[in-house]
């Protein structure tokens, strides 16, 4: 047995390294970046990230090929589904106002390796997204000049015929990315001003489209003569919703900017809600105008809005639409180039990525190295890759990030807050909250917290073992009092929050299984009806039971910052929807994802795991101190704990069984 234990020790230590959590500072507002963004700035960043080329291209494509005029309902469903993920991002952005977005949120709640892989995929998603928008920007501008730029490049520079590569190098797309990277490197305020200008112009053009479009509207275009309102039925509406969902993926730039917000606790949730609401309304109204101006089956998928005005005899309005489209694409480019370097900076700051990217310019207060390097990489992708080849690789990393953020919300909501010796919760981000009174020298954890009680001496506190536990409120992550008689014997021995963590894992596995049966059961797998129905029932029950088991535990009640309502219902629904969309992606996307994950694991095990600051923190010398601990069950044990140099007590403990047995003999029946 001892030999087996010694043999398993390296594997156990490796698992502990891979799943270690990020330790947050007591002062969550401390940063080397510049906190200067207001709620308006964050709102316009979110609007700019969502209302881009999709408004001018996606609306026509979905309406013509998938939904018809019912694209309005598709955008409504997509907006509601995006709201589920946006709630989760808003809670984390307010609670943990640090840059890094989904990477940071996963690091503090799930584990290091998972956080690295999320960040690694989000990096590629942002690079591909920025390059694809730059190619679309270049193509749209080139079409205004009758493709003169493309013809000149193919004739006087070069062209090639290679799979996945463009027929010619798009110098214009690469150039706009280099210029945008140069401007963003001047600081967050310059980026914010540029975004304000382009967003204002874009919203003005949208207002023009709505007013003039409703004047030209013809309700007959929704009549049965033209195919009706929903010619593709409910299945078409749902398929269109899945496609329209990608129009809203830009809201995570708000959470990425929380470390540069003046008051992230209030600004992040408000900006997320307002920007998502504005984007949803804009998509719905523009889709309404577009399908009322011309019959939906005659739309031009490449330039639906401009073509609609041209066909109604107002070609000059197409120029206005083109200006709005270019400005909208500029805002998306700025948002991609704004959030990408900050994710890289957050990973480098934690030691998981190359340290050169953690350097912040002392004047501009931005990670210039990350901006320049990844801006050049993005420009290179835009220069040589075809737009269609870029777009088909999108989305899987974003959906995976949404899934892990939703799971992290559940895990952190039912996880007891870590309490330092100063009495300040290490994860509390509220800068205005006054520090709680420091506990006495002998008592380091409050008696009414439902957690362990620690005392310096044995004799003067021994009588407290007899304190009735029922007088104290149940702790976070423990079973609710109502469920204790039914589930207490089965789940009572687990640590607070441990059952919830296993339930979240079961929830994700059942979601994958359920979505796989729905997506592949009838077609690829060709399951019989009885087998298909049975699997649906089994995995649906597993999903519901996992959610109910989470709900049966005590959550945190934090009134200082925004919290997602109806937990675990909303995060669970977000997980299910995101996994369903991931399984609808093409096999080529999954191959790209697998290759990129393999490269990421090589980087992590070759560099990140050895330079992780959390790993270095574990290796720091610690002093040892003895404590007498009253367990929630009433037993008294002696613990030997490591004390950090700043006086904080580490949570690892070695129990002296002799003291525990002495307490049990003195007070029988308490274990």
């Amino acid at each position: 047995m001892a030999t087996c234990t010694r043999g398993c020790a390296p594997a156990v230590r490796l698992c502990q390294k891979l799943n270690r959590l990020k330790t947050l500072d007591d002062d969550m507002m401390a940063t080397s970046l510049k906190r200067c963004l207001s709620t308006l700035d964050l709102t316009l960043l979110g609007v700019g990230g969502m209302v881009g080329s999709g408004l001018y291209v996606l609306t026509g494509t979905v309406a013509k090929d998938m939904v018809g005029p019912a694209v309005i309902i598709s955008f409504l469903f997509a907006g509601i589904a995006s709201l589920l993920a946006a709630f989760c991002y808003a809670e984390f952005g307010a609670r943990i106002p640090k840059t890094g977005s989904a990477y940071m949120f996963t690091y503090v709640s799930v584990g290091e390796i998972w956080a690295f892989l999320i960040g690694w995929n989000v990096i590629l998603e942002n690079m591909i997204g920025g390059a694809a928008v730059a190619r679309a920007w270049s193509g749209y501008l080139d079409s205004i000049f009758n493709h003169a730029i493309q013809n000149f490049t193919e004739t006087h520079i070069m062209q090639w015929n290679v799979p996945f590569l463009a027929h010619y190098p798009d110098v214009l797309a690469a150039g706009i990315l280099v210029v945008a990277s140069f401007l963003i490197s001047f600081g967050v305020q310059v980026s914010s001003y540029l975004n304000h200008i382009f967003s204002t112009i874009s919203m003005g053009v949208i207002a023009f489209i709505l007013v003039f479009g409703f004047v030209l509207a013809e309700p007959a275009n929704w009549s049965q003569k033209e195919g009706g309102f929903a010619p593709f039925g409910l299945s078409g509406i749902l398929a269109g919703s899945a496609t329209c969902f990608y129009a809203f993926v830009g809201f995570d730039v708000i959470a990425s900017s929380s470390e540069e917000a003046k008051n992230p606790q209030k600004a992040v949730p408000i900006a997320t809600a307002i920007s998502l609401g504005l984007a949803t309304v804009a998509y719905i109204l523009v889709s309404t105008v577009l399908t009322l101006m011309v019959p939906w089956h005659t739309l031009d998928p490449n330039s639906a809005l401009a073509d609609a005005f041209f066909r109604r005899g107002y070609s000059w309005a197409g120029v206005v639409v083109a200006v709005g489209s270019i400005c909208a694409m500029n805002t998306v480019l700025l948002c991609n180039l704004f959030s990408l370097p900050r994710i890289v900076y957050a990973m480098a700051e934690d030691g998981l990525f190359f340290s050169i990217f953690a350097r912040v310019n002392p004047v501009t207060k931005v990670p210039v190295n990350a901006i320049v390097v990844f801006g050049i990489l993005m420009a290179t992708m835009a220069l040589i890759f075809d737009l269609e080849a870029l777009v088909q690789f999108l989305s899987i990393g974003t959906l995976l990030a949404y899934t892990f953020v939703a799971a992290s919300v559940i895990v952190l909501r039912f996880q007891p807050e870590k309490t330092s010796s100063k009495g300040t919760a290490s994860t509390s981000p509220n800068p205005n909250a006054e520090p709680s009174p420091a506990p006495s020298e002998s008592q380091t954890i409050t008696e009414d917290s439902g957690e362990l009680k620690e005392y310096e001496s044995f004799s003067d506190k021994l009588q407290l073992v007899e304190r009735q536990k029922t007088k104290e409120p149940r702790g976070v992550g423990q079973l609710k009092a109502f469920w204790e008689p039914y589930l207490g014997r089965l789940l009572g021995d687990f640590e607070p929050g441990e059952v919830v963590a296993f339930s979240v894992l079961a929830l994700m596995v059942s979601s994958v299984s359920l979505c796989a049966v729905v997506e592949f059961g009838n077609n690829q797998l060709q399951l019989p009806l009885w087998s298909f129905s049975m699997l649906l029932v089994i995995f649906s029950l597993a999903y519901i039971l996992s959610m109910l088991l989470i709900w049966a535990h005590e959550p945190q009640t934090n009134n200082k910052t925004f919290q997602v309502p109806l937990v675990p219902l909303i995060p669970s629904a977000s997980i299910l929807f995101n996994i369903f969309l991931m399984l609808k992606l093409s096999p080529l996307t999954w191959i790209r994802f697998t290759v990129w994950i393999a490269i990421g694991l090589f980087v992590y095990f070759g560099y990140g795991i050895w330079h992780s600051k959390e790993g270095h923190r574990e290796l720091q010398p610690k002093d040892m101190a003895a404590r007498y601990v009253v367990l929630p069950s009433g037993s008294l044990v002696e613990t030997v704990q490591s004390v950090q140099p700043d006086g904080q007590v580490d949570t690892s403990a070695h129990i002296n069984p002799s003291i525990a047995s002495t307490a049990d003999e003195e007070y029988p029946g308490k274990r």
Side-chain angles (χ1 to χ4, degrees):
M1 188 69 178
T3 304
C4 179
T5 304
R6 288 194 297 269
C8 296
V12 172
R13 286 196 297 269
L14 177 62
C15 289
Q16 290 174 344
K17 288 182 178 180
L18 298 180
N19 292 283
R20 55 194 170 200
L21 304 179
K22 179 176 175 60
T23 303
L24 296 173
D25 298 328
D26 287 338
D27 185 7
M28 295 290 292
M29 298 295 287
T31 177
S32 57
L33 304 178
K34 185 177 182 180
R35 290 195 178 273
C36 59
L37 297 179
S38 64
T39 304
L40 177 62
D41 297 329
L42 294 179
T43 302
L44 290 179
L45 275 174
V47 171
M50 288 182 280
V51 183
S53 56
L55 187 74
Y56 298 89
V57 178
L58 189 64
T59 50
T61 302
V62 176
K64 181 178 181 179
D65 299 334
M66 305 178 70
V67 188
V71 66
I72 301 167
I73 302 177
S74 294
F75 272 115
L76 179 61
F77 286 169
I80 294 173
S82 300
L83 186 64
L84 302 179
F87 270 141
C88 301
Y89 272 80
E91 173 171 331
F92 270 114
R95 184 174 180 177
I96 306 171
K98 294 291 183 181
T99 192
S101 190
Y103 156 77
M104 179 63 65
F105 307 154
T106 307
Y107 203 174
V108 301
S109 56
V110 179
E112 183 173 285
I113 180 66
W114 312 106
F116 177 86
L117 293 178
I118 290 295
W120 185 249
N121 276 283
V122 172
I123 287 174
L124 183 61
E125 294 292 320
N126 278 275
M127 289 177 61
I128 292 177
V133 173
R135 294 283 307 199
W137 183 93
S138 172
Y140 205 95
L141 187 65
D142 192 26
S143 64
I144 297 176
F145 297 101
N146 198 23
H147 302 286
I149 301 174
Q150 176 182 350
N151 295 332
F152 178 84
T153 304
E154 291 179 346
T155 304
H156 296 89
I157 300 180
M158 64 181 303
Q159 60 176 323
W160 52 64
N161 291 309
V162 181
F164 299 107
L165 298 184
H167 296 298
Y168 66 97
D170 197 335
V171 181
L172 185 61
I176 186 62
L177 284 170
V178 171
V179 171
S181 301
F182 175 74
L183 294 174
I184 284 178
S185 64
F186 280 99
V188 63
Q189 287 183 320
V190 174
S191 306
S192 179
Y193 292 152
L194 289 173
N195 185 70
H196 281 208
I197 295 171
F198 291 129
S199 295
T200 302
I201 297 174
S202 178
M203 288 188 290
V205 172
I206 292 173
F208 165 80
I209 292 172
L210 295 178
V211 173
F212 198 28
F214 275 117
V215 172
L216 300 176
E218 295 182 358
N221 290 325
W222 285 7
S223 65
Q224 289 297 327
K225 180 182 178 182
E226 300 292 346
F229 179 73
F232 296 91
L234 180 61
S235 60
I237 293 175
L238 295 179
S241 298
T243 303
C244 294
F245 178 80
Y246 302 118
F248 298 95
V249 298
F251 65 80
D252 60 335
V253 68
I254 299 175
S256 299
S257 311
S258 59
E259 191 166 340
E260 291 159 288
K262 296 177 183 177
N263 187 5
Q265 289 76 29
K266 293 182 179 179
V268 170
I270 293 174
T272 301
I274 294 177
S275 60
L276 191 60
L278 289 176
T280 305
V281 170
Y283 277 110
I284 290 175
L285 292 180
V286 169
S287 301
T288 303
V289 166
L290 181 62
T291 53
L292 284 174
M293 286 177 60
V294 294
W296 61 270
H297 52 81
T298 64
L299 291 172
D300 181 3
N302 297 321
S303 57
L305 283 169
D307 182 69
F309 282 107
F310 177 78
R311 288 166 55 190
R312 293 300 301 270
Y314 298 93
S315 56
W316 58 269
V319 178
V320 178
V321 173
V323 171
S325 176
I326 291 175
C327 290
M329 292 182 191
N330 285 339
T331 61
V332 178
L333 278 179
L334 288 173
C335 290
N336 274 280
L337 287 168
F338 185 87
S339 58
L340 172 59
R342 282 153 179 80
I343 296 171
V344 174
Y345 161 77
M347 296 175 67
E349 180 71 14
D350 292 331
L352 303 185
F353 206 49
F354 305 113
S355 59
I356 189 174
F357 298 123
R359 299 174 186 173
V360 175
N361 187 283
V363 178
T364 61
K365 299 294 184 181
V366 293
V368 175
N369 291 341
I371 292 173
V372 172
V373 171
F374 283 88
I376 293 175
L377 289 176
M378 195 183 296
T380 304
M381 294 180 67
L383 181 70
I384 63 176
F385 284 106
D386 184 31
L387 178 60
E388 293 181 1
L390 291 173
V391 170
Q392 66 184 349
F393 287 150
L394 278 174
S395 304
I396 189 169
T398 302
L399 292 172
L400 186 66
Y402 286 0
T403 303
F404 269 83
V405 170
S408 300
V409 166
I410 302 176
V411 171
L412 211 59
R413 179 68 62 87
F414 293 89
Q415 190 178 77
E417 293 234 10
K418 298 178 182 179
T419 309
S420 68
S421 60
K422 299 176 184 180
T424 306
S426 61
T427 58
S428 174
N430 190 353
N432 301 320
E434 297 188 11
S436 56
S440 62
E441 184 177 352
S442 60
Q443 185 173 344
T444 59
I445 299 182
T446 57
E447 296 178 4
D448 59 349
S449 64
E451 303 176 3
L452 303 183
K453 289 83 178 174
E454 302 184 6
Y455 302 97
E456 291 288 354
S457 62
F458 180 79
S459 59
D460 59 345
K461 300 295 181 182
L462 192 59
Q463 66 272 19
L464 292 176
V465 179
E466 287 297 325
R467 183 184 299 241
Q468 292 295 327
K469 182 181 169 185
T470 57
K471 295 181 181 179
E472 301 177 356
R474 301 193 62 79
V476 174
Q478 296 179 338
L479 277 173
K480 294 179 179 178
F482 176 82
W483 296 102
E484 183 68 31
Y486 309 100
L487 301 175
R489 183 170 297 181
L490 179 64
L491 305 175
D493 293 335
F494 288 92
E495 294 292 329
E498 192 173 4
V499 175
V500 172
F502 284 116
S503 300
V504 171
L505 179 61
L507 183 77
M508 297 181 71
V509 172
S510 60
S511 297
V512 172
S513 304
L514 179 61
C515 293
V517 171
V518 172
E519 181 66 19
F520 308 118
N522 286 329
N523 297 326
Q524 285 86 344
L525 299 179
Q526 296 182 347
L527 296 174
L529 180 60
W530 68 268
S531 177
F532 179 79
S533 303
M534 184 182 67
L535 290 176
L536 277 183
V537 171
I538 291 175
F539 293 132
S540 298
L541 286 176
Y543 176 84
I544 295 172
L545 288 176
S546 300
M547 195 162 47
L548 290 176
L549 195 59
I550 296 170
W551 176 76
H553 289 75
E554 291 285 351
Q556 291 183 9
T557 54
N558 178 18
N559 297 323
K560 297 177 181 178
T561 59
F562 171 78
Q563 284 192 315
V564 179
L566 301 178
V567 173
L569 180 60
I570 286 180
S572 300
S574 180
I575 290 173
L576 184 65
F577 186 77
N578 295 331
I579 291 175
F580 177 73
L581 291 182
M582 288 174 67
L583 293 182
K584 292 183 74 66
L585 297 174
S586 65
L588 189 61
T589 302
W590 282 96
I591 294 174
R592 190 277 303 171
F593 174 74
T594 305
V595 172
W596 186 248
I597 285 290
I599 298 173
L601 291 174
F602 178 78
V603 173
Y604 175 75
F605 286 105
Y607 182 88
I609 195 172
W610 306 107
H611 296 82
S612 170
K613 289 188 177 180
E614 292 301 320
H616 292 165
R617 184 179 285 109
E618 293 174 356
L619 298 176
Q620 291 177 354
K622 303 174 183 178
D623 298 327
M624 306 302 294
R627 294 287 187 272
Y628 297 95
V629 179
V630 181
L631 296 176
S633 62
S635 300
L636 189 69
V637 298
E638 181 190 24
T639 63
V640 181
Q641 299 176 316
S642 57
V643 181
Q644 303 289 352
D646 61 353
Q648 294 185 355
V649 180
D650 189 51
T651 55
S652 59
H654 305 282
I655 299 177
N656 188 331
S658 62
I659 301 295
S661 60
T662 303
D664 288 340
E665 292 173 3
E666 183 107 16
Y667 300 94
K670 286 296 177 185
R671 177 167 291 191

